Amino acid sequence: MKEAIRKTLILAAVAIPVGVCGCVAGAATGDMPPVIFGAVAIAGGLTLAVMVALATRKG
C-alpha cells in the first residue's frame, strides 16, 4: 500500500509542473490547446496530491 501511495505522489509531483509548463508554453505561443491540457494536468495533479494526503493521514 505504501508503495502505491509513494508512486501516486510522484505522479502528482510530475503532473503539476508539467501542467504549469504547458500553460506557460501555450500562453507564450498564443495557442489554447496547451493551456487547456496544462490546466487539466494541474487539476489532476492537485486531485492526486489531495488523495495522497488523505490516504496518509492518521485518524
Side-chain angles (χ1 to χ4, degrees):
M1 181 73 172
K2 288 184 181 183
E3 184 70 21
I5 291 173
R6 188 178 68 83
K7 288 185 179 184
T8 304
L9 184 60
I10 291 170
L11 178 63
V14 170
I16 294 171
V18 167
V20 170
C21 290
C23 285
V24 169
T29 61
D31 295 333
M32 277 311 287
V35 173
I36 294 168
F37 292 138
V40 169
I42 292 170
L46 289 174
T47 303
L48 288 174
V50 168
M51 283 196 266
V52 166
L54 291 174
T56 57
R57 75 175 187 174
K58 296 181 181 182

